């Protein structure tokens, strides 16, 4: 796992911001399993809600994108965060790195690719102004268990049961849990909402 602190991406990084339809077409192109598609839809829904709350407060948009482009950038990263997952299940490898490489090739958008490569763990300061997009995707991913939105406790009970077979794997899951709680606290503070109680739902799943 790459634990080097991430470098802020220059303002006006550019690149394409894909639509939902483009993201879903790429799912099919890369053979994404249906259950991963459902998971990705829900992660995108949670990330979208967070982005809309941030946009309302003028937060987390260092490129000065329009509201719609900012929200869609975060949403697209949520839709694409597991683009490499099916390949890694079948062939092995790091699904975050593979998915980020594919995302960068498809979009030439470093912010969205950064959200994909770091959706499991953020190896730097929890800086929501410069890194809102990847932090939103990390947190959203930690709120979705398979095909439903859950709280962090339920999500990590499942992760411990599925992956906590060695001391090293248990330590990694605990680290992810602690970071998820820290991001949740950060978002609650800056967005003025009790994020752990926020009623994320399915209303933004289809566009």
């Amino acid at each position: 796992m790459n634990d080097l602190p991430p470098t802020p991406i220059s303002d006006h990084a550019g690149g394409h911001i894909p639509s939902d339809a483009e993201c879903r077409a790429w799912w099919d192109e890369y053979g994404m399993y249906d259950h991963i598609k459902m998971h990705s839809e829900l992660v995108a829904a949670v990330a979208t809600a967070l982005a809309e709350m941030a946009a309302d407060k003028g937060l987390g948009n260092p490129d000065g994108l329009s509201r719609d482009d900012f929200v869609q950038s975060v949403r697209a990263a949520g839709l694409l965060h597991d683009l490499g997952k099916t390949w890694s299940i079948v062939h092995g490898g790091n699904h975050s790195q593979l998915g980020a490489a594919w995302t960068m090739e498809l979009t030439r958008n470093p912010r969205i690719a950064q959200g994909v490569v770091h959706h499991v763990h953020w190896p730097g300061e929890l800086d929501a102004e410069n890194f809102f997009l990847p932090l939103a995707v990390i947190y959203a991913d930690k709120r979705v268990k398979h095909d439903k939105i859950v709280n962090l406790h339920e999500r990590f009970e499942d992760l411990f049961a599925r992956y906590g077979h060695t001391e090293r794997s248990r330590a990694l899951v605990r680290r992810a849990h602690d970071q998820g709680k820290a991001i949740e606290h950060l978002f609650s503070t800056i967005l003025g909402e009790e994020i752990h109680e926020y009623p994320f739902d399915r209303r933004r799943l289809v566009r």
Side-chain angles (χ1 to χ4, degrees):
M1 184 176 293
N2 181 6
D3 280 331
L4 293 175
T7 302
I9 295 170
S10 300
D11 290 355
H12 310 294
H16 177 57
I17 302 171
S19 67
D20 287 16
E22 288 176 293
C23 293
R24 292 177 183 130
W26 292 332
W27 290 351
D28 293 335
E29 182 177 341
Y30 288 92
M32 185 182 286
Y33 292 150
D34 286 344
H35 71 279
I36 300 174
K37 292 179 182 179
M38 188 68 250
H39 170 81
S40 298
E41 291 278 14
L42 289 168
V43 169
V46 174
T48 298
L50 293 169
E52 289 177 342
M53 285 187 272
D56 288 343
K57 294 183 175 295
L59 298 173
N61 183 8
D63 291 331
L65 299 173
S66 70
R67 177 190 173 86
D68 287 349
D69 282 350
F70 167 67
V71 172
Q72 185 61 28
S73 294
V74 178
R75 182 174 177 82
L79 289 169
L80 296 174
H81 80 284
D82 270 348
L83 188 63
K85 190 67 174 284
T86 300
W87 176 277
S88 72
I89 291 171
V90 176
H91 302 288
N94 185 307
H95 80 283
S96 300
Q97 293 177 3
L98 181 61
W102 286 344
T103 297
M104 191 63 188
E105 181 179 1
L106 292 164
T107 69
R108 298 298 175 190
N109 190 314
R111 289 201 186 279
I112 294 176
Q114 186 180 60
V116 175
V117 78
H118 288 304
H119 78 266
V120 174
H121 173 73
W122 182 249
E125 181 184 0
L126 300 186
D127 176 356
E129 187 55 37
N130 286 307
F131 300 116
F132 181 87
L133 185 154
L135 295 179
V137 176
I138 288 172
Y139 181 71
D141 187 43
K142 302 303 180 285
R143 289 293 303 269
V144 178
K145 174 186 173 184
H146 308 308
D147 61 352
K148 65 178 181 177
I149 297 171
V150 297
N151 59 36
L152 290 180
H153 177 72
E154 184 173 346
R155 173 70 159 131
F156 278 92
E157 276 192 332
D158 176 64
L159 291 175
F160 270 111
R162 286 194 290 142
Y163 299 116
H165 304 306
T166 67
E167 185 52 44
R168 180 178 183 277
S169 65
R170 288 191 291 272
L172 290 174
V173 174
R174 283 193 294 269
R175 181 175 71 165
H177 171 271
D178 293 346
Q179 185 172 81
K181 292 293 288 185
I183 295 172
E184 184 172 74
H185 177 73
L186 172 66
F187 284 163
S188 295
T189 300
I190 67 172
L191 299 177
E193 295 277 358
E194 292 297 330
I195 296 301
H196 68 287
E197 297 177 350
Y198 191 81
F200 297 111
D201 58 34
R202 296 170 180 253
R203 68 185 182 277
R204 295 184 180 86
L205 282 180
V206 178
R207 288 188 169 188

